Amino acid sequence: MDRTHLLNKLWEYQYQFGFVSDEAVSIISKKLNVSNIEIESVISFYHFFHKEPTGKHTIYLNNSIISELKGFEAIKAAFEKETGCTFDEQGNDEFSLFETSCIGLNDQEPAALINFMPFTGLTPKKVKLIIQKIRNGENVKDFASNVKSNIQYIPKDDKAIIFRPYEMGASIKEGLKHSPQEIIDKIYKSKLKGCGGAFFDVGYKWQSCKNNEADEKFIICNADEGEPGTFKDRAIFQHLPGLIIEGMVLAGYAVGAKEGVIYLRAEYQFFKEELEVLIQEFKNQNFLGKNIQGVNEFDFNIRIQLGAGSYVCGAASGLIESMEGRRGEPPVRAWSATKHGFKHKPTVVNNVESLAYASRIIELGEDFFLSMGTPKTPGTKLISISGDVAKPGIYEIEYGTSIRELLGIEMSQATAPYFVQVSGPSGEPVSPSEFDRRICMEDILCGGSFMVFNRTRDILHILRNFMEFFKEESCGVCTPCRAGNFILNEKIKKMQRGLASTIEIEEIKKWGNIIKISSRCGLGKSSPNSLIYSLDKFKEYFNLKIAPDNELQYVEFDMEAAVSEFDSIIKDTQL
Ligand code: SF4
């Protein structure tokens, strides 16, 4: 047994005892031949591993911005009152309370995980009831929320690509009529882009992995969607998980891999058992296993690897470090997974949604995919919409759909939106004057998170939540990201106190660019985006927040003046 089993071993102890003791570390150290100190450092990296006892019930309450809009503070107070514990401090024998970043349930906030079972739409009354039930000895599995996939919109006239009727094995059967190279050619021709946020060409990735000769290759499904506001992959797992498995099988066939791994974020482990049952069903039907569907020597199997809570593991480099039993810190060296990926073997890492689309492209044909969308981004895209909208949930939209359409009466039904965050905190905020921009490569891309804020929401409050998130999730190995995000957060706080001047604005831009240019991975390269964009796009708002340069004093925020200012900005905006 090698250190690639480390995370699983740590989970065994975490489940059984609620923490990983010194004794457990020593046992694992001997079994995996990894030093105690290395194991300690891995434990300290992940949010969901603990070195101190946590009690029988660990409660993780989502503190993302959407949760805040929907009543986070009241729920936090209710949990503390009912359990007698304090968040992020030592709990008691029964409970421990922790705040955590987005758990993929922004369409049903406020939400929490209790022993990793989901509880959604929380109210103080509900919290009281939940804690009573636990005290009465009921198992949280028996009364957890029944989380739905919450699909709100699909293209009309039978044009949906993902959310259309599904027949088990259809794409595998179709794919096996073709040679591996033909499969890659079809994906390449479809221009399918990675759907996790990087938009890398999927066909190119598969071809590159195929071209690299090796005795072993791997297909990894990146199911660690951690960008706040994203929950589209959750919807695919809940509604059409077979598409993900089929996409992996086809990728394995195309590149010559025999092993697939689903790296499932720990927050989604409430559907892990169902997924395992489905994988078994695929084996029973010979869509997984040996000589799949009679194709000689085409063997492919899938296992699930649980993550343990880390945003940077959502990027391929951090994910592979994590799978190899290390801290999920992105490596320094220039890196290509398709050459030296998992265990230094050629590896395809594709996001859940990308694999689901690959499966549909093979089943329906690349021409069907190409008949929709824009020249550079054909097809459809799944968007998770949350915030100040009447219909939060999953939207399958044709590429080229405008932000105005997404917000409008036919879709999410937003009320007086003025700050729309496209692609999560690492993406781009959009003001009302930009609502005609279109979601596509030619204009603005969206990895999946689409958060809507109306004019009563305070922009600095939103930006501070984002920056706290990046500060918390920075792995800390490079100084610009570790220190820079801290500095930006302090600047935001200064603005909130009315103590910032225009010099601050210039400094924020300067620091932001330093962080972007000199950070090693995507977190640092994108963390200042929202703040920097906002300064330019919401000048009227920031003008109200800034003291004149020669008069650095406390400035009372005049809400009435701000609201009337925003009224005038958006009065012509008809959605
Ligand atoms: Fe870690 Fe931030 Fe550097 Fe990425 S940019 S490697 S998260 S410190």
Side-chain angles (χ1 to χ4, degrees):
M1 204 181 263
D2 62 20
R3 73 180 294 164
T4 59
H5 293 85
L6 179 56
L7 259 60
N8 288 343
K9 282 276 151 220
L10 293 172
W11 270 117
E12 279 173 25
Y13 284 96
Q14 184 64 48
Y15 283 140
Q16 201 178 344
F17 302 105
F19 73 117
V20 187
S21 65
D22 290 343
E23 195 191 342
V25 169
S26 295
I27 294 169
I28 297 171
S29 165
K30 283 193 191 102
K31 252 191 198 142
L32 303 185
N33 197 23
V34 181
S35 73
N36 285 33
I37 196 77
E38 274 189 273
I39 295 174
E40 300 270 359
S41 87
V42 170
I43 292 170
S44 69
F45 182 81
Y46 297 94
H47 298 312
F48 299 133
F49 292 144
H50 299 281
K51 279 295 287 147
E52 300 294 329
T54 55
K56 289 189 203 127
H57 294 88
T58 46
I59 299 175
Y60 291 97
L61 178 62
N62 176 20
N63 65 8
S64 73
I65 186 64
I66 302 299
S67 174
E68 284 201 17
L69 306 189
K70 305 287 176 185
F72 165 82
E73 287 299 340
I75 303 306
K76 181 179 173 179
F79 270 121
E80 290 188 335
K81 181 174 167 225
E82 300 302 331
T83 61
C85 302
T86 309
F87 269 85
D88 295 315
E89 288 181 14
Q90 188 82 19
N92 56 32
D93 286 350
E94 195 63 58
F95 299 105
S96 284
L97 306 177
F98 302 97
E99 289 187 28
T100 193
S101 51
C102 191
I103 55 177
L105 293 165
N106 265 184
D107 52 336
Q108 312 171 40
E109 295 291 353
L113 296 169
I114 305 182
N115 286 356
F116 291 98
M117 294 305 293
F119 288 84
T120 60
L122 293 171
T123 60
K125 212 168 154 186
K126 254 187 174 178
V127 169
K128 187 173 182 176
L129 207 66
I130 289 166
I131 300 302
Q132 267 173 7
K133 285 186 174 192
I134 291 173
R135 288 197 199 280
N136 290 341
E138 290 188 48
N139 188 330
V140 288
K141 279 191 178 171
D142 298 334
F143 63 95
S145 300
N146 185 11
V147 175
K148 299 268 190 283
S149 46
N150 201 6
I151 299 151
Q152 292 286 357
Y153 180 88
I154 58 170
K156 295 183 178 74
D157 304 324
D158 196 31
K159 282 182 140 190
I161 295 175
I162 294 292
F163 295 120
R164 60 189 300 120
Y166 166 79
E167 184 196 327
M168 185 180 188
S171 69
I172 296 176
K173 282 191 219 157
E174 180 59 36
L176 295 180
K177 291 178 189 165
H178 302 273
S179 71
Q181 187 56 52
E182 283 169 347
I183 295 290
I184 294 178
D185 292 344
K186 280 172 171 290
I187 299 295
Y188 202 70
K189 203 172 148 199
S190 75
K191 301 185 189 171
L192 175 65
K193 302 282 181 286
C195 304
F199 300 97
F200 197 79
D201 196 286
V202 175
Y204 182 89
K205 215 181 238 187
W206 289 19
Q207 186 70 66
S208 170
C209 189
K210 183 177 193 302
N211 291 349
N212 287 308
E213 291 296 327
D215 54 343
E216 259 187 312
K217 294 183 184 180
F218 298 96
I219 306 298
I220 296 176
C221 167
N222 182 348
D224 194 21
E225 61 172 348
E227 186 71 32
T230 312
F231 45 88
K232 64 185 175 63
D233 292 350
R234 183 202 85 207
I236 304 176
F237 270 116
Q238 293 186 296
H239 197 68
L240 290 168
L243 282 184
I244 305 160
I245 296 173
E246 298 198 30
M248 292 177 76
V249 172
L250 289 165
Y253 174 68
V255 309
K258 292 191 185 307
E259 187 178 340
V261 183
I262 299 175
Y263 185 91
L264 185 67
R265 69 186 308 226
E267 292 88 338
Y268 288 169
Q269 57 188 287
F270 61 89
F271 53 69
K272 182 169 170 265
E273 270 177 35
E274 272 179 48
L275 194 57
E276 281 166 342
V277 169
L278 185 68
I279 289 171
Q280 187 54 49
E281 184 57 23
F282 267 77
K283 281 183 189 161
N284 297 345
Q285 304 282 334
N286 191 226
F287 291 120
L288 284 171
K290 284 195 170 299
N291 299 326
I292 292 173
Q293 299 299 300
V295 176
N296 213 10
E297 293 189 0
F298 175 40
D299 308 338
F300 192 77
N301 277 304
I302 292 177
R303 69 178 170 88
I304 300 170
Q305 167 70 61
L306 214 51
S310 162
Y311 176 69
V312 282
C313 290
S317 55
L319 183 150
I320 287 177
E321 291 290 311
S322 175
M323 282 183 53
E324 291 177 349
R326 283 188 283 273
R327 294 162 69 85
E329 290 162 358
V332 189
R333 64 198 152 88
W335 182 87
S336 164
T338 54
K339 277 191 189 142
H340 305 292
F342 183 49
K343 298 182 178 176
H344 281 260
K345 303 288 182 184
T347 301
V348 167
V349 183
N350 278 150
N351 161 266
V352 168
E353 189 186 348
S354 314
L355 289 161
Y357 273 110
S359 166
R360 284 301 200 196
I361 288 166
I362 298 305
E363 178 194 348
L364 306 167
E366 63 275 25
D367 289 338
F368 181 67
F369 190 78
L370 286 162
S371 71
M372 278 176 280
T374 66
K376 283 190 181 166
T377 35
T380 61
K381 175 83 186 81
L382 304 190
I383 308 284
S384 332
I385 302 187
S386 62
D388 292 316
V389 295
K391 293 166 71 183
I394 299 296
Y395 289 69
E396 180 175 350
I397 59 156
E398 195 168 347
Y399 267 117
T401 301
S402 73
I403 291 171
R404 191 179 301 283
E405 286 172 281
L406 275 168
L407 297 168
I409 193 77
E410 297 279 309
M411 294 199 186
S412 67
Q413 300 176 8
T415 39
Y418 81 95
F419 185 99
V420 177
Q421 185 69 23
V422 179
S423 222
S426 63
E428 182 177 345
V430 163
S431 68
S433 64
E434 301 175 278
F435 285 174
D436 286 323
R437 293 185 69 180
R438 297 177 312 135
I439 305 290
C440 57
M441 199 155 254
E442 292 88 335
D443 195 343
I444 183 169
L445 281 167
C446 180
S449 169
F450 189 93
M451 297 190 279
V452 182
F453 303 94
N454 69 30
R455 64 188 170 81
T456 67
R457 310 299 183 183
D458 184 50
I459 293 176
L460 276 172
H461 184 83
I462 298 165
L463 295 172
R464 175 145 166 213
N465 180 288
F466 292 172
M467 200 48 74
E468 295 275 359
F469 166 76
F470 289 122
K471 200 163 65 84
E472 181 68 22
E473 293 295 335
S474 166
C475 77
V477 298
C478 36
T479 310
C481 172
R482 186 182 65 244
N485 286 319
F486 177 86
I487 290 167
L488 290 185
N489 200 39
E490 291 305 302
K491 301 270 181 212
I492 293 174
K493 284 188 201 167
K494 199 168 173 184
M495 276 197 271
Q496 284 184 310
R497 293 198 303 271
L499 293 171
S501 71
T502 51
I503 296 165
E504 238 70 41
I505 302 287
E506 291 314 309
E507 284 195 354
I508 286 173
K509 288 182 181 172
K510 216 183 321 172
W511 273 108
N513 284 324
I514 291 170
I515 300 167
K516 278 160 70 91
I517 290 164
S518 51
S519 288
R520 189 189 296 176
C521 84
L523 187 151
K525 290 190 185 304
S526 61
S527 59
N529 283 351
S530 301
L531 179 56
I532 295 177
Y533 277 125
S534 297
L535 294 175
D536 286 334
K537 295 187 180 196
F538 297 89
K539 276 196 179 116
E540 295 84 356
Y541 169 87
F542 284 99
N543 284 342
L544 294 171
K545 293 286 180 186
I546 298 300
D549 288 355
N550 56 356
E551 201 187 319
L552 291 178
Q553 60 189 18
Y554 181 79
V555 178
E556 276 284 339
F557 177 59
D558 186 341
M559 181 54 106
E560 264 184 31
V563 167
S564 101
E565 188 82 11
F566 293 132
D567 273 342
S568 70
I569 295 165
I570 64 156
K571 72 175 184 226
D572 295 323
T573 308
Q574 299 294 327
L575 296 170

